[in-house]
Amino acid sequence: MSNKWCMLIQFIAIVLLLSAVIYYRSASLQSSTSLQTVYRDYESQQTKWNVETKRLQSEIESLTTNQVSPQNGQSSSSSKSHNKDKDDWNDVDEQWIRDLQRNDRRFLQLQYGSGPLHILIETAMGEIELETAALRSMPHSIRYFVSLIESGFWNGCHFFRNADHVIQANCHQRNEDNAFAITQQDEQHHAERLKETGEIVFQEYDDTLPWLHQKYSIGIAGRPGGPDFYVNLVDNKRNHGPGGQGPKPDPCFAHIVRGQHVIDEIHRMEHDGSSMKVLKEW
């Protein structure tokens, strides 16, 4: 009897053990199937992410190619054609112009005081006294002009052109007292010295000046201007102001406060009848 019970107990234990083995094997198979499903989902998402990453990289490269240059505020294609002397000034132009004017104004204040400056021109016909604009108004043009005076550039020079609307001064000829005086054998050196005068960096302009391009006011000739200057004989805003002879107006930085009769006398002198109306004696 005891043997039968022992065999029965052993049989039941074997059945339970087999059942446990079958259950755990089934669970293991289900777990493996779940892992495979998760892995397939991961691969699918990874493929989608790769496609999206490539698309974003392509967009970034496109934006980089067409982006605005941080140095000039314009796209690379338009910046190559920008000309500050002809085109409208952009933000970068206006910023460096402000910086340049501030530097020139400080120099003039240190050298000559708060201004405006008075400049004496001595001619064979008498003295001409100029008064400049306020230093805050036309600092670059004023500094350029007085720097030429300080260098001795204008000593021994002349008014040479007597047109209907201006008389113009330059230094194409000089007398022997001039520091830049030359001989006929020194023409090449003369040409090189003239280059040293440079020119104004930009066409400075202040349309609030009360005598702007009026009779007896002083403008800088050329575009960009310098070193020649002229005296207006009439209201010259149409010729030398905005929209006149060039894309940018001529700097008008001073006016005559004494010696207007000297200008009138020069204007009465004969010219050669050419389009430039060069004085016969100069």
Side-chain angles (χ1 to χ4, degrees), residues 20-234:
V21 169
I22 292 170
Y23 171 79
Y24 284 113
R25 181 174 178 80
S26 175
S28 176
L29 290 172
Q30 290 178 359
S31 176
S32 176
T33 301
S34 298
L35 287 173
Q36 290 177 359
T37 301
V38 170
Y39 182 73
R40 283 196 299 270
D41 290 343
Y42 169 77
E43 284 187 324
S44 176
Q45 291 296 328
Q46 184 67 27
T47 301
K48 292 180 179 179
W49 276 108
N50 289 339
V51 172
E52 182 67 13
T53 299
K54 289 180 179 179
R55 184 185 68 80
L56 291 174
Q57 287 176 340
S58 177
E59 289 185 2
I60 291 171
E61 290 175 358
S62 177
L63 289 172
T64 302
T65 302
N66 299 317
Q67 71 179 351
V68 174
S69 170
Q71 294 183 348
N72 57 21
Q74 297 184 339
S75 65
S76 58
S77 59
S78 63
S79 63
K80 294 179 181 178
S81 61
H82 178 67
N83 186 327
K84 68 174 178 60
D85 295 323
K86 296 181 179 180
D87 301 331
D88 291 336
W89 288 330
N90 59 34
D91 292 341
V92 175
D93 291 332
E94 292 177 352
Q95 181 58 56
W96 69 254
I97 284 172
R98 286 193 295 270
D99 293 341
L100 180 62
Q101 287 179 311
R102 181 169 57 252
N103 181 68
D104 287 336
R105 183 173 62 252
R106 288 174 177 173
F107 172 86
L108 291 169
Q109 289 172 338
L110 289 171
Q111 189 80 2
Y112 305 106
S114 58
L117 308 184
H118 283 251
I119 299 168
L120 185 65
I121 300 176
E122 296 176 321
T123 76
M125 297 179 178
E127 295 180 345
I128 303 169
E129 183 178 348
L130 312 182
E131 182 182 78
T132 69
L135 300 187
R136 68 178 181 279
S137 173
M138 300 287 290
H140 179 60
S141 303
I142 295 171
R143 183 180 181 183
Y144 173 78
F145 190 71
V146 299
S147 295
L148 291 178
I149 295 173
E150 290 288 348
S151 72
F153 176 84
W154 283 112
N155 294 341
C157 295
H158 46 264
F159 289 101
F160 83 105
R161 185 185 181 201
N162 185 18
D164 295 331
H165 63 303
V166 296
I167 60 171
Q168 184 171 332
N170 70 20
C171 285
H172 293 176
Q173 296 180 13
R174 306 164 188 269
N175 65 29
E176 64 278 4
D177 296 329
N178 187 271
F180 290 73
I182 62 169
T183 64
Q184 292 182 350
Q185 291 77 27
D186 202 17
E187 289 293 336
Q188 183 177 356
H189 179 63
H190 171 61
E192 294 299 321
R193 293 302 300 271
L194 283 179
K195 292 179 182 178
E196 294 177 7
T197 63
E199 55 197 17
I200 54 174
V201 179
F202 70 99
Q203 300 292 105
E204 192 172 38
Y205 199 73
D206 182 357
D207 58 8
T208 66
L209 295 172
W211 36 259
L212 184 66
H213 286 304
Q214 297 299 306
K215 188 175 183 179
Y216 302 125
S217 61
I218 310 298
I220 297 179
R223 291 171 184 82
D228 290 16
F229 70 92
Y230 58 83
V231 180
N232 288 302
L233 300 176
V234 296

